[in-house]
Amino acid sequence: MAKYFDVHPQTPQTRTIGTVVDSLRSGALIAYPTDSCFALGCRLGNHEAVERIKSIRHLDDRHHFTLVCENFAQLGQFVQVDNDVFRAIKASTPGSYTFILPATREVPRRLMHPKKKTVGVRIPDHTVTRALLAELGEPLVSSTLLLPDEAEPLTQGWEIKERLDHVLDAVVDSGDCGTEPTTVVDFSSGEAEIIRRGAGDPSRFE
């Protein structure tokens, strides 16, 4: 049964954030809000929770998981970024973008694309997400909370708890999220390729 945490959207309660992060460190899989829509998240080394995400969303091994990072210093530990790409990403973050880049050795192989050895990264513009990341001190392995055969992600915390109570450990709710996932930009070749048009303005990468 998932625990439910009601978090203030502008001033997240320190104790509540600490409790959620403690659960993540203990192996929890959570649903949490971002600047695009709700996401599923767990710690980087939590193989069992990653498999649970795959099961919930019916994902195969080709799915690009996203490492949701607090800042550029953290992001730079997990992906290879040259100067030109760095400037392009820097100008667009924090924001509703996911960038696909070559992974470093810090990324577990099972989270990389099996052939390209790439991984998705993003720095969200959301107070609650950033509070969780700051307390955790490492990225969250994440995937949009979009259930199989449904056109849009779930948008309300109470509904997520109601429908996924048996497969989640915690739901973090700070009010309604949007329904539009991030814009995904693939920089793995050194040039920007828009893979998905979403909440972030794609025109800057065209």
Side-chain angles (χ1 to χ4, degrees):
M1 189 171 182
K3 294 180 180 178
Y4 182 82
F5 297 95
D6 188 6
V7 181
H8 194 281
Q10 276 82 46
T11 54
Q13 303 93 315
T14 303
R15 180 176 294 181
T16 304
I17 293 296
T19 302
V20 175
V21 168
D22 285 345
S23 70
L24 284 165
R25 290 180 177 139
S26 298
L29 173 62
I30 71 170
Y32 70 100
T34 76
D35 53 346
S36 56
C37 49
F38 271 96
L40 299 168
C42 65
R43 285 188 74 187
L44 190 59
N46 191 340
H47 176 64
E48 185 265 344
V50 169
E51 291 304 310
R52 287 163 67 191
I53 293 174
K54 288 181 178 180
S55 176
I56 291 167
R57 291 205 54 203
H58 295 184
L59 302 173
D60 61 27
D61 289 337
R62 293 169 295 176
H63 177 72
H64 262 114
F65 279 93
T66 299
L67 301 184
V68 179
C69 301
E70 181 188 2
N71 51 39
F72 262 95
Q74 196 175 78
L75 182 147
Q77 298 175 42
F78 298 96
V79 290
Q80 301 169 33
V81 189
D82 66 27
N83 288 338
D84 289 341
V85 173
F86 175 85
R87 284 192 290 269
I89 295 176
K90 182 75 171 175
S92 306
T93 53
S96 300
Y97 297 93
T98 298
F99 302 101
I100 297 173
L101 290 159
T104 67
R105 293 180 180 178
E106 299 295 320
V107 179
R109 186 174 295 272
R110 65 181 174 274
L111 296 181
M112 299 180 192
H113 187 283
K115 292 184 178 179
K116 298 179 181 179
K117 308 304 181 195
T118 51
V119 71
V121 288
R122 66 174 299 223
I123 302 172
D125 187 14
H126 192 281
T127 302
V128 174
T129 314
R130 293 171 75 89
L132 288 170
L133 293 168
E135 181 68 19
L136 183 61
E138 62 184 75
L140 278 168
V141 178
S142 292
S143 183
T144 301
L145 209 175
L146 179 62
L147 297 180
D149 303 320
E150 297 199 7
E152 292 188 341
L154 299 179
T155 62
Q156 298 187 15
W158 64 266
E159 183 184 8
I160 293 168
K161 175 164 171 54
E162 191 173 84
R163 294 184 61 181
L164 300 177
D165 201 30
H166 59 297
V167 292
L168 293 178
D169 299 302
V171 176
V172 180
D173 189 3
S174 62
D176 287 2
C177 276
T179 59
E180 197 169 17
T182 57
T183 293
V184 179
V185 184
D186 189 341
F187 271 113
S188 58
S189 67
E191 300 290 332
E193 179 185 358
I194 298 171
I195 304 298
R196 179 179 72 198
R197 296 172 184 272
D201 179 8
S203 63
R204 63 177 65 206
F205 298 105
E206 294 175 325

